[in-house]
Structures are given as structure tokens and as C-alpha cells.
Amino acid sequence: MYHRSSIQMVLSSSFTAVAVTGMIFLGLTLFLRFSHATNAQMAESSRRVLSQVNLNMDRYLRDMMRISDTVYYKVIKDTDLAEASLDDALELLWESSREGVVSIAVFSGDGELIAAAPLQELKNSVTPERESWFAAAEERIENLHFSTPHVQDLFEDPDYRYRWVVSLSRQVELTRAGNIQSGVLLVDMSFGGIEQICKDVDLGHSQGYLYLTDRSGEIIYHPRQQLIYAGLLEENNLTAAGYTDGTHTEKFQGQTRQVTVKTVGYTGWKLVAVVPSTTLWDNYGQIILFFLFVVLFSVYLLIFVNLRLSGWITAPVKKLDRAVKALEAGEQVADFDVGGPYEVEHLSHSIESMVSTMRHLMDDIIQQEKQKRRSELDVLQAQINPHFLYNTLDSVVWMTENGRTEDAVVMLTSLARFFRISLSRGSSVIPIADELEHARHYLTIQKMRYKNKFSADIQAEDGVEQLYTIKLVIQPVLENAIYHGMTYADGDGEIHVRAFRDGCDVVIEVTDNGPGMPEDVVERLLDPAGPAVPGAKGSGIGFRNVHRRIQLTFGPAYGLTILSEPDAGTAVRIRIPALDREAAERYRKEGER
């Protein structure tokens, strides 16, 4: 069923995949644009909130600075401490701003209390000149100093109240009997005012919050300040203190957060608004659900429409496919009248015509390949050393002229039998026994020509001689063994021919005790594109001829293997399939057609 509808499925799935991919791409693009816009909107919202908080904080700090300026420029500057006291003026100023101010105090340069309101008695354990706000005021002579939140514990309070304050300190000049002395003015602001400004901030997100740090990152206000002081919670305040004003994305304790920073004027404090990424994703939930619903519904609709449409288009194509499969199954006649659109009908007629043409062409090609293979084998066969005949006849003439008639008769007899087997009544496949006999006659002739300079023997394993091979595969190997081995052999040369079974194959091995060959020469001998072997008769043509004829006949798994090393002799193995009479007849008919 799948194969019959494969074209339909391809069309349906392709159309659906393209459409769904386009929808997903469009949806993701819109989603990313929306998320980017949402992030930008949230960042802008956080910036607006921080701007408003900054205005409120700025107003509150200006009020405190205004009180400090009033005490300094309208009270301290106009009072000579040798003639008048500052207590009444400080008490009056404190009464008018008691909602935001916890206390006002003036100290001399050595830490002596000059005046204070509303409390006027320092604790015995307090040393003002050692307090951080006192030292900071003396270091910043021209500027005001705002401290971090701390408990106000300078004065003896009959009510035993301890209030959280932020100290505003500054260096002042005190006049005593006309002399100018250095002093410090301290205004303790109620931390509740700062806390009230910050804690009522609504960032528009349930998990978002705002906190305040000084310029070094120490927390001034945090909605979970007590937990942070107790070590139960951590905040990334030190890193946030280094941020520039604007929106940043940070990862803290495995959570991605959107952090917006605003610097408070005069103080260097930083307002930090934090919105966790979980809050951002909460806003995307409904959009994602709606997007998934639209995609799933669209996919269902597209699949339904595409299946119907592709089914209507592919029905004639499937019918044509069945006709082609019928031809593949071996049927001689197939119905190519598929109907359908003009293009499909035209295609069916073209295929029908093409099938007819291909059948004729295949028959022609088969015949041409057989003829080509036969011609190539004939050419290779014709290359088998024709000068051997001339050299042998020259030797017969020489023997006759020198009265060696019997030797001449033996050589001519061997030559006649040699060529009788070579011809083999025109057959290219002969019994291995004939091929070995052919080799014996060749060795007889060559031993007489070389005056018995070498000895030779031929052995065959039982049953091997009844098998078949293509002819003239041993003689060229023997020729190379004589020319390249025996000519240069030290002492008596030896040539051994052995035929044996190796599994489903037959191996005919020719070994000699000649000088051997280096590895590079061995590699060139069977390389059809390699150069001729220099300084040697035959130059390796006989090896290549035999190797090529065997592979043309039986395939690349068969052929020659040469094993040789300098001063170690040479062994040539001829590997052919083990062919009985029936198998040999098939090869003979193929080669002679």
C-alpha cells in the first residue's frame, strides 16, 4: 500500500512540510518580534518606574539637603558660639521637619557635641570622631555625605527607641569668639522615608522588585533586607553597582533576569529594578497556546486537503507505475493507456516507445560486447611471442648443419606438438593436462636451446589435470622465468611447475632459483599502464598478457600474483577457477560465439 501511494505521500508530505515550515517560521518570527517588543516594553516600563522613584527620591533628598543648608547657612553661619547657643534654632528646625528627620546635631572638629535636637545627651560609649559619617564629612569638605542605613545610637533616649536612619553629614565652619573652627553637621534622616518611597513601587509583575544600593554596591534598601542581613538570601548588588544606567540582562543563581539601573543624583546611589525571566515567560503563555492551536489546526487542514489533491493528481501516475513494474517483472506486454492529464498520457506513450527501443538496443549491445570481448582475447592470444618460432627454427637449422640430426628431430617433434596444443582446434579453453603438456614441450625446446643450462619439472595434484583452463597461461610465465631467471642464474638453474587445488580455485605455481627482482620491478610487471622493465627481454608483456586474459575471462578475483626478492628467486602463482567439463563448455561457447 505504501509503495502504491508513495508519490501521493511525497506530494502530500512535501506540500504539508513546506506549508507547516512556513507557518512555523512565520509564527516564530512573530513570536520573537513580540517577545522582543515585550522585553523592550517591560524595560521601558521599568525605566519609567525608576524615573518616578528617582524623582521621589530626589525630592526627599533635596528636602534633607535643604534642612542641612538651612542649619548651616542660616543658623551656624550667623551664630558665634561664644555669645549664643544653637539649641533653640536646631529644636525649631527639627520640630518643623520631624516627619523626615530623626535628629540634628553639630559637633566640633574633635568630636565634642555643640548642640543637638531633640536629644542632647551623648551616650558615654559613643566617640563621634570615630564614626564613618564623621570621617567622610571631613574627607569631603565641599560635599555632602550620605551613609548607608544604620541604627541611630548616639544619644541617650529615655524611651529607649532605636531608629533606622541614613546620616547626612557635612563639614562646617564654626565661629567662636570671632575665630573659625572646623566642625561637622549631622542630619539623621528617617530610613522610613526612603523605605516608603521604594516599597510602594509597582513594576507591573508579581515577582519583580526594586532595591537601592550606594555607589560601592552596599544595600541601602531591599524588600527582603532582613533575609539578606541574616544570610538566608543573596542579591547580585555588587555586580549591579557596576552597571551603567539602562537595561541589562544577567544570570544570577541559574536564573536569567532583566535588570534596569538608574543612578540617584547627588548621592551616587543606584536604583535597581529586577524582573525574573519566569515573569517574562508568564506573559507568553497564552500566546504560545494560541500559536500551537493555530498550527495544529492548520496542519490537520493542510494534510486533509493535500491528500485529496495529491490523490487526484497521482492516480494516473500510479497506474503508469504499475505498468512499468509489470515490465520489470518480465511481462512482455503492459497496459500503458493510463489516461489522465495530457502530460501523463504523453509520458506513458513515450515510455512505451522507449521500452521497445531499449529492447532492440540491449540485444545489439549484448552482441557487440561479446564480439568485442572475443576480439580482445584474440588480439591477446596473437601476441604470444611469435619470435619463439623463428628462434626455434634457427636452432633446428644450426643443429642440422652441425650433424646433430637426432637433436633436431627431437626439437622439431616438440615444436610440432607445441603448436598443435597452441592451436587446440581453435578452442580457447583446454584441459589443464594439455596446458601442462604444452609447457613440457616448451621446456624441452628451451633446454636444448640453452644446452641444458637449467632443469625443470612439472607436477600436478590428483584430479587437477581433468579440470580446464584458458590456454597458453603457463608458457609466457616459463618464458619469463628462463629469460629473466635462468640467463642470470649462478650455477644450475631450476624451474618447478606445480598445479594444485585451493578451495574452489586452481593454482598453478611456477618457481625458479634465479636472481629475483626488486619490489618496484614486481609492481610494474602487472601494471597495464606501467613502463616496460628495462634491460630485460620481453619487458613484462607476457605477464601482463596472461594476467589480462585471465581477468577478462574469469573476472578481477583471478590472475597472476608475483612473489620475488633479490637473490631469493621468483614465484608466480596463476589463480583460475576450478572448471569441470560442463563449466568449461559454457566459457568455450561464450568465447567462440
Side-chain angles (χ1 to χ4, degrees):
M1 179 64 183
Y2 171 78
H3 290 290
R4 290 199 302 269
S5 60
S6 60
I7 297 178
Q8 181 179 3
M9 292 302 297
V10 168
L11 289 175
S12 300
S13 58
S14 299
F15 293 155
T16 303
V18 170
V20 170
T21 302
M23 291 178 58
I24 292 176
F25 176 77
L26 179 61
L28 288 177
T29 302
L30 294 176
F31 178 76
L32 291 176
R33 287 177 62 87
F34 173 80
S35 61
H36 178 74
T38 302
N39 290 340
Q41 183 179 2
M42 294 182 66
E44 182 61 27
S45 175
S46 297
R47 284 194 291 269
R48 286 198 298 267
V49 170
L50 289 186
S51 296
Q52 184 60 47
V53 173
N54 183 56
L55 289 176
N56 296 336
M57 187 70 66
D58 184 75
R59 189 180 301 113
Y60 179 79
L61 294 176
R62 281 177 177 272
D63 290 342
M64 297 300 105
M65 293 168 62
R66 190 178 299 111
I67 293 173
S68 177
D69 289 343
T70 300
V71 173
Y72 183 31
Y73 293 109
K74 294 187 177 181
V75 176
I76 295 177
K77 285 281 189 180
D78 295 340
T79 302
D80 190 328
L81 297 179
E83 300 176 356
S85 172
L86 301 174
D87 291 335
D88 292 340
L90 296 184
E91 185 72 26
L92 182 61
L93 285 173
W94 177 81
E95 286 289 346
S96 63
S97 56
R98 60 187 302 170
E99 292 182 0
V101 178
V102 175
S103 64
I104 305 174
V106 180
F107 298 87
S108 66
D110 56 4
E112 178 187 355
L113 179 64
I114 303 299
L119 302 176
Q120 299 178 349
E121 183 179 355
L122 287 176
K123 291 181 178 180
N124 294 330
S125 60
V126 173
T127 305
E129 64 271 18
R130 295 182 180 178
E131 297 291 331
S132 59
W133 52 265
F134 193 99
E138 290 191 325
E139 290 176 359
R140 303 179 182 180
I141 297 176
E142 299 297 331
N143 296 314
L144 301 177
H145 170 69
F146 292 87
S147 72
T148 55
H150 62 278
V151 176
Q152 204 268 32
D153 58 352
L154 293 175
F155 301 98
E156 295 286 353
D157 189 346
D159 296 332
Y160 299 101
R161 291 188 299 175
Y162 297 93
R163 301 182 181 181
W164 281 84
V165 299
V166 174
S167 296
L168 169 59
S169 59
R170 67 190 299 173
Q171 193 270 345
V172 296
E173 294 180 347
L174 304 175
T175 304
R176 188 184 296 273
N179 295 321
I180 303 300
Q181 299 176 348
S182 175
V184 175
L185 169 62
L186 173 67
V187 178
D188 281 335
M189 302 182 298
S190 173
F191 180 69
I194 295 176
E195 186 178 27
Q196 189 65 34
I197 292 173
C198 295
K199 76 177 182 178
D200 292 338
V201 172
D202 181 14
L203 292 176
H205 312 289
S206 60
Q207 298 183 18
Y209 60 91
L210 178 143
Y211 66 93
L212 178 67
T213 70
D214 65 6
R215 66 177 67 245
S216 64
E218 187 172 351
I219 291 178
I220 298 174
Y221 165 79
H222 196 286
R224 300 179 182 178
Q225 197 159 341
Q226 298 301 324
L227 295 177
I228 294 176
Y229 286 164
L232 301 177
L233 187 69
E234 293 183 2
E235 184 56 75
N236 200 26
N237 51 296
L238 297 179
T239 303
Y243 290 156
T244 58
D245 287 6
T247 301
H248 308 268
T249 300
E250 68 175 15
K251 193 167 187 178
F252 179 65
Q253 294 182 337
Q255 184 185 48
T256 303
R257 317 191 305 180
Q258 185 186 82
V259 178
T260 305
V261 178
K262 178 72 174 179
T263 303
V264 180
Y266 308 109
T267 63
W269 295 351
K270 288 184 179 292
L271 288 165
V272 183
V274 179
V275 178
S277 59
T278 54
T279 303
L280 299 176
W281 279 104
D282 288 343
N283 296 330
Y284 303 152
Q286 294 182 352
I287 297 175
I288 293 175
L289 289 176
F290 176 74
F291 172 72
L292 289 177
F293 171 77
V294 171
V295 169
L296 292 177
F297 177 77
S298 300
V299 169
Y300 170 77
L301 185 62
L302 283 170
I303 291 176
F304 176 77
V305 172
N306 286 336
L307 284 175
R308 297 297 299 270
L309 180 62
S310 60
W312 177 75
I313 294 174
T314 58
V317 178
K318 289 192 289 185
K319 188 175 179 181
L320 180 61
D321 178 64
R322 288 193 293 270
V324 173
K325 287 182 178 179
L327 289 176
E328 292 177 351
E331 296 183 14
Q332 296 297 319
V333 179
D335 183 13
F336 284 96
D337 188 12
V338 299
Y342 168 77
E343 291 81 359
V344 177
E345 187 174 4
H346 180 71
L347 177 62
S348 66
H349 293 313
S350 298
I351 292 177
E352 186 175 18
S353 175
M354 181 182 66
V355 168
S356 177
T357 303
M358 286 180 61
R359 284 175 176 169
H360 292 294
L361 290 175
M362 287 298 295
D363 292 340
D364 293 341
I365 290 173
I366 291 173
Q367 294 299 323
Q368 290 175 7
E369 285 297 320
K370 288 182 178 179
Q371 186 64 34
K372 178 182 176 182
R373 181 177 165 187
R374 182 179 177 183
S375 298
E376 188 171 357
L377 286 171
D378 290 343
V379 169
L380 291 172
Q381 182 71 37
Q383 292 177 351
I384 299 296
N385 207 359
H387 67 270
F388 167 71
L389 173 61
Y390 307 137
N391 293 335
T392 303
L393 292 177
D394 285 341
S395 297
V396 171
V397 172
W398 177 81
M399 290 177 183
T400 304
E401 291 176 348
N402 287 273
R404 295 173 57 184
T405 308
E406 292 182 0
D407 291 340
V409 171
V410 172
M411 183 174 285
L412 283 174
T413 301
S414 296
L415 180 63
R417 293 177 180 176
F418 175 84
F419 278 105
R420 179 179 61 80
I421 296 174
S422 295
L423 295 175
S424 301
R425 299 178 182 176
S427 176
S428 62
V429 180
I430 62 175
I432 293 180
D434 290 349
E435 181 68 13
L436 294 176
E437 184 66 20
H438 183 263
R440 288 189 183 94
H441 292 306
Y442 177 77
L443 288 172
T444 298
I445 296 170
Q446 294 291 48
K447 281 195 291 184
M448 295 180 69
R449 287 185 60 207
Y450 282 85
K451 301 178 181 179
N452 294 317
K453 187 179 180 180
F454 63 90
S455 63
D457 67 275
I458 298 176
Q459 298 178 1
E461 190 179 87
D462 290 342
V464 171
E465 290 185 324
Q466 283 71 44
L467 301 176
Y468 286 76
T469 179
I470 60 173
K471 65 183 178 181
L472 299 181
V473 296
I474 301 178
Q475 182 267 326
V477 178
L478 290 173
E479 181 180 1
N480 277 276
I482 294 171
Y483 288 165
H484 305 313
M486 299 301 97
T487 302
Y488 306 103
D490 294 333
D492 294 334
E494 295 181 3
I495 297 177
H496 303 283
V497 180
R498 188 166 66 96
F500 57 91
R501 287 287 295 265
D502 183 15
C504 295
D505 299 336
V506 172
V507 175
I508 302 173
E509 185 177 65
V510 178
T511 60
D512 65 67
N513 64 343
M517 295 175 287
E519 184 178 354
D520 59 329
V521 174
V522 173
E523 291 178 355
R524 292 201 301 268
L525 282 176
L526 297 182
D527 184 3
V533 180
K537 297 181 180 180
S539 303
I541 293 177
F543 276 129
R544 297 172 188 172
N545 186 299
V546 173
H547 185 65
R548 179 60 177 158
R549 286 194 298 123
I550 292 175
Q551 291 196 333
L552 276 174
T553 305
F554 302 121
Y558 301 97
L560 269 60
T561 303
I562 303 175
L563 304 174
S564 182
E565 293 182 7
D567 302 323
T570 301
V572 180
R573 292 178 181 173
I574 305 169
R575 181 174 294 274
I576 58 176
L579 303 177
D580 56 16
R581 179 185 293 273
E582 183 178 353
E585 192 64 28
R586 290 199 302 269
Y587 279 101
R588 183 181 290 117
K589 288 181 178 180
E590 280 187 18
E592 295 172 4
R593 242 177 229 175

